[in-house]
Amino acid sequence: MPGKRARRHFSQLSEFERGLIIGMKTAGRVAGQVDRSEKTTRTEDRRILLQAFVDPTVTRSTIRADVGVAMVPQTISRHLAEANLKSKCHFGALPVTPEYRQLRLQWCQARSMWNVTDWQKVVFSDESRFVLGTDDNRVRVWRRPGERYNSPHCSTSHCPHSSCNGLGAIAYDSRSTLIMMRGTLTDQHYVDDILRPHTLSWPARSPDFSPVEHVWDQLKRQMPSCHSVHDLGLAVQDLWAHLPQDNIRCLINSMLDRVAACIAAGGGPMCY
């Protein structure tokens, strides 16, 4: 019988080995008691979910204080995950008024017949902020998949002091040198000296049109730890220089889908 074999094997162990087994069993019972103490009632579960639904920016410590039950943060995250709520960064959305929506729609309709070759002739330029350190002062929200663009989960952007801005342009077979600077460009300088000489007219409040936005995202995901703004600028320029050109080509080829998605949304925001 398995029980007899286990007892016979246990009797053959040394005192030290027996002590280890007994200690591990005791620790397992204690751990089980801790887990049971963190179980919540259905009422407490509803209060956890209600907090996240009413205020998507609520923190786990605030939820724990409101529920009034001793639990570790992972327990709260698990309960919210069961309701398909995940902690995500606020989406930095730009307000699209009816006027801007109409301009976006007209811009796309004017280019609805463009093919891939047409878009491959366009130069896309943009500016983006790179922050020193991992804390971007961004607010995190509890949201479900597909709710990224809902107004409670969006916020306006803000600029920390320890940051620099990168300005670059991409084309189907090439890219510009990435220019790094402290502070931001004025709108007039940006239009007169950078955009107008090189790129086509672009609708306002439309970062979702620009493939460069995805380039910035790729660079920020690969950023190493930097100790100064100077090192930060050098790191960004190095990542920019080594970005595979095939990545840029794929992004530019997506312009057909972006234009079609904007027309389908009536000029509203797109999931790009």
Side-chain angles (χ1 to χ4, degrees), residues 134-161:
T134 57
D135 184 9
D136 197 9
N137 294 326
R138 292 181 179 177
V139 177
R140 300 190 69 85
V141 296
W142 299 100
R143 63 174 174 82
R144 290 170 170 165
E147 295 181 342
R148 183 186 185 194
Y149 302 99
N150 293 3
S151 56
H153 309 121
C154 299
S155 66
T156 56
S157 59
H158 46 273
C159 183
H161 295 295

Side-chain angles (χ1 to χ4, degrees), residues 81-183:
E82 290 171 355
N84 212 12
L85 290 170
K86 302 294 181 63
S87 177
K88 301 291 184 179
C89 283
H90 244 169
F91 173 64
L94 291 174
V96 180
T97 63
E99 178 184 1
Y100 284 124
R101 183 185 291 261
Q102 184 63 28
L103 291 174
R104 285 163 53 91
L105 181 60
Q106 292 174 355
W107 189 90
C108 289
Q109 289 173 338
R111 293 160 181 81
S112 61
M113 301 304 294
W114 282 27
N115 56 33
V116 174
T117 304
D118 294 323
W119 287 112
Q120 291 175 358
K121 299 175 183 177
V122 177
V123 176
F124 301 87
S125 70
D126 192 24
E127 175 193 7
S128 185
R129 173 174 51 87
F130 292 85
V131 180
L132 185 64
T134 57
D135 184 9
D136 197 9
N137 294 326
R138 292 181 179 177
V139 177
R140 300 190 69 85
V141 296
W142 299 100
R143 63 174 174 82
R144 290 170 170 165
E147 295 181 342
R148 183 186 185 194
Y149 302 99
N150 293 3
S151 56
H153 309 121
C154 299
S155 66
T156 56
S157 59
H158 46 273
C159 183
H161 295 295
S162 299
S163 64
C164 58
N165 291 278
L167 175 66
I170 60 172
Y172 193 75
D173 290 315
S174 62
R175 76 197 73 177
S176 71
T177 300
L178 185 67
I179 301 173
M180 302 301 298
M181 66 197 76
R182 297 293 298 271

Side-chain angles (χ1 to χ4, degrees), residues 3-43:
K4 291 183 178 180
R5 286 198 298 269
R7 286 193 295 271
R8 185 167 58 251
H9 177 70
F10 184 78
S11 64
Q12 296 172 354
L13 298 176
S14 66
E15 290 295 330
F16 177 75
E17 292 170 331
R18 292 180 187 180
L20 285 178
I21 294 175
I22 294 173
M24 286 188 290
K25 287 185 175 181
T26 304
R29 286 196 294 270
V30 173
Q33 292 171 359
V34 172
D35 289 338
R36 286 193 295 273
S37 68
E38 289 191 353
K39 285 187 176 180
T40 53
T41 65
R42 291 186 178 181
T43 300

Side-chain angles (χ1 to χ4, degrees), residues 61-101:
S61 58
T62 302
I63 293 176
R64 180 174 56 186
D66 178 77
V67 175
V69 176
M71 65 183 82
V72 296
Q74 290 80 358
T75 300
I76 298 175
S77 297
R78 186 177 68 251
H79 282 298
L80 295 175
E82 290 171 355
N84 212 12
L85 290 170
K86 302 294 181 63
S87 177
K88 301 291 184 179
C89 283
H90 244 169
F91 173 64
L94 291 174
V96 180
T97 63
E99 178 184 1
Y100 284 124
R101 183 185 291 261

